Structure formats: structure tokens, C-alpha cells
Amino acid sequence: MTRNHPSSPASWPCRLLSLALSLSLAGVGSAQDILIYDNNTHFHSATTACNDLGLAFTQATAGTFVTEMTVQTWDLVIFDLPSSEPTGAWQPLLESHIAAGGKASHTHWQTTTLTATLQAAFEITAQGPHQALDLFQWNSHALFTTPNRVPSTIAATECGWGVDGIYLEPAGGGVAVGGFTATPAANQAAIVIGNANRTIFNGNVFDDYDPADSDSDGVKDIVELIQNEIR
């Protein structure tokens, strides 16, 4: 297990971050077939998104994720992972889930523990870690409009994690739909959809995007976007 430690207070400037995280995970099965990894997030954005949609889910922690992945088959596995990874051989289990046709959303904050085989499973290659960066919508993909219309940039505030994510590059059949530059550029992707819309890899930490609500509708932008991902 590896942990992302909070940065020192001196390194916590409130930098606005534009985020366009999205999942094209259509056709989620029954609600009880959703597994969310949430061990120590600050804002619990993924669980909030499911709760607001009225979807039941099982929440896994570092100590329970491997067990949950072995006791049943899940339609959708969502990672809200800003710091501590699951204990045990969790990456092969996630790879097997994808290989068997399962849907998955992943976030990761560092490259040193992200195996090459898990990167291949999500059809991405990790390029290196980064601090909080603007994240832009790169195309008109439906991930940004259905069921919620989310802004092309989603403001976020650096919330204090020492590392905020990793740069991505699509591999295999992966498609980059958002990135850390205003226009598409090599090795700058932030959102990669893979496996014919069954997987998405987010190269950022969800916690950084709270409490942005650019359309002032009372629902945080990041929560609306994760709801789109689930739909």
C-alpha cells in the first residue's frame, strides 16, 4: 500500500483547476453491483454522486477491497483514490475484472506503483506525476452533456494532497477526451476512455475539484461529472 501524504501548508495555494473528468460507463447493472473504493478521500465525490442518483453501492477500503473483488462479480468498479491504495494484489483483480467485460473508472496519483499491465488494461500509458493543473475538455464527447451539462472547464481548488495526479497518453484503443492543455497535446491527457467505452482513467485527484459549482445549481461540478460517468 502506498500513501499520498498531504503537502505542507505553505504549498497549499488555492489554485483554480479546470477539470473535465468523465466516464462513458453506460449500462450499469443493478445498483448493488457497484463497488466504490473510498478509503480516505476528503470529499467522497464518487459516493456522493451515487447517493444523489439513488444508486446503492458497496464501499471498499484499503483493507476490504481485495476481499470484495473476490466474493462476487461487479458490474462497475469506481476508484476515488487520492492516497492510500488497497492492500494486497488488487491490480491483477482489477485487470481481470476489465478482461472479463466489467466496467471500471480509475484515478491514480503516482506512477511508481501503477503497473504496466494495469495501464495496458485501461489502454493508457502514465507519463509522470503532476501538481494541480487546469484540465480542459478536448472534444464534444457526450460525457460532458449526459445527463448533466458540465462546463468545459471545471474549477477546482488544491486541497492539500502532496501529488495531484499523473499525465496520461492513450494506448491501444484509448481515446483522450480531456487534458491538461487547452488543446490536445501529446502526453498531456487527463481523461482516457478505453475498451469500447467500458473503462476510463482519470489522471487527477477528485478531491481537488471541490467545491466548484460554476452553474450555481447547488450540485458540485465534479459530482455532476461523476454522475455522467456512471450513466
Side-chain angles (χ1 to χ4, degrees), residues 25-75:
L25 297 176
V28 173
S30 57
Q32 63 267 29
D33 294 331
I34 299 173
L35 179 66
I36 299 179
Y37 178 79
D38 180 347
N39 186 74
N40 61 346
T41 68
H42 289 165
F43 302 113
H44 311 285
S45 297
T47 60
T48 298
C50 276
N51 281 327
D52 288 354
L53 288 172
L55 296 176
F57 58 88
T58 296
Q59 180 177 339
T61 63
T64 65
F65 180 80
V66 166
T67 298
E68 294 290 358
M69 288 291 286
T70 56
V71 297
Q72 78 167 78
T73 299
W74 302 92
D75 289 323

Side-chain angles (χ1 to χ4, degrees), residues 18-167:
S18 304
L19 175 70
L21 302 164
S22 300
L23 277 180
S24 97
L25 297 176
V28 173
S30 57
Q32 63 267 29
D33 294 331
I34 299 173
L35 179 66
I36 299 179
Y37 178 79
D38 180 347
N39 186 74
N40 61 346
T41 68
H42 289 165
F43 302 113
H44 311 285
S45 297
T47 60
T48 298
C50 276
N51 281 327
D52 288 354
L53 288 172
L55 296 176
F57 58 88
T58 296
Q59 180 177 339
T61 63
T64 65
F65 180 80
V66 166
T67 298
E68 294 290 358
M69 288 291 286
T70 56
V71 297
Q72 78 167 78
T73 299
W74 302 92
D75 289 323
L76 170 61
V77 178
I78 302 173
F79 268 75
D80 192 346
L81 175 59
S83 183
S84 299
E85 298 176 11
T87 57
W90 65 275
Q91 295 194 54
L93 289 171
L94 188 55
E95 294 162 19
S96 296
H97 166 79
I98 294 169
K103 302 177 179 70
S105 157
H106 196 69
T107 60
H108 216 94
W109 58 272
Q110 68 164 353
T111 58
T112 56
T113 61
L114 183 61
T115 65
T117 51
L118 188 62
Q119 293 179 52
F122 277 93
E123 298 190 326
I124 61 103
T125 56
Q127 304 301 309
H130 63 75
Q131 299 306 117
L133 295 170
D134 287 350
L135 196 160
F136 301 88
Q137 178 180 337
W138 276 359
N139 57 38
S140 58
H141 200 282
L143 295 174
F144 304 103
T145 60
T146 307
N148 305 304
R149 181 168 294 279
V150 296
S152 58
T153 60
I154 301 179
T157 302
E158 166 62 60
C159 68
W161 291 114
V163 181
D164 294 280
I166 54 181
Y167 298 99

Side-chain angles (χ1 to χ4, degrees), residues 172-212:
V175 177
V177 298
F180 299 112
T181 53
T183 56
N187 302 321
Q188 292 289 322
I191 309 163
V192 175
I193 299 170
N195 297 283
N197 296 332
R198 287 192 297 107
T199 64
I200 188 163
F201 200 104
N202 302 297
N204 37 47
V205 173
F206 291 158
D207 276 348
D208 279 335
Y209 313 121
D210 191 285

